[in-house]
Amino acid sequence: MKRINFLLSFFIAAALQSCSGGIPGYTLVSGKVTDASTGKAISGVQVSDGIQIVSTDKRGRYSLQSDCSAARNVFVIMPSEYDFSVNEWGGWADYRAIDTTAVKQTVDFKLTPRDDVDGKVRFLLLGDPQQMSSRPHSGLSWKYVCS
């Protein structure tokens, strides 16, 4: 009788785990990306947890099964028609922490349209050229290209 109760409780616990959508070590992050001025859904926006990238569907919805051991944040890869949002501390507001203790969580993004969309691509590239060893690299050469 004890064995049957143990097996029954084991199968119930396994069924509850699978019904909740929980995979040990993972969290389901889903949400919606909308235009902040109109409230309309934005399709084709890329959302990432730093490990994988997904695109929003025609209703502006996305879903990521994030590995809690590797992913710590979820963010929008900003479309050129929208501007970066800044939070009250001056940081990037379209970058949110993942609750690694939650089985499921909802993270919505509201994007602010840009006023100056001109079709030109602009980007800022930052690099950190520190080397891993204390020995200088003798084969390293630099070329400067000016236009």
Side-chain angles (χ1 to χ4, degrees), residues 18-22 26-30 65 99 101-106:
S18 65
C19 290
S20 67
Y26 286 81
T27 183
L28 179 65
V29 182
S30 59
Q65 191 75 38
D99 180 0
T101 62
V103 174
K104 293 180 183 180
Q105 56 195 288
T106 302

Side-chain angles (χ1 to χ4, degrees), residues 131-146:
Q131 51 193 29
M132 294 295 290
S133 68
S134 59
R135 195 181 82 196
H137 295 286
S138 60
L140 189 63
S141 65
W142 296 93
K143 292 183 181 178
Y144 296 95
V145 178
C146 299

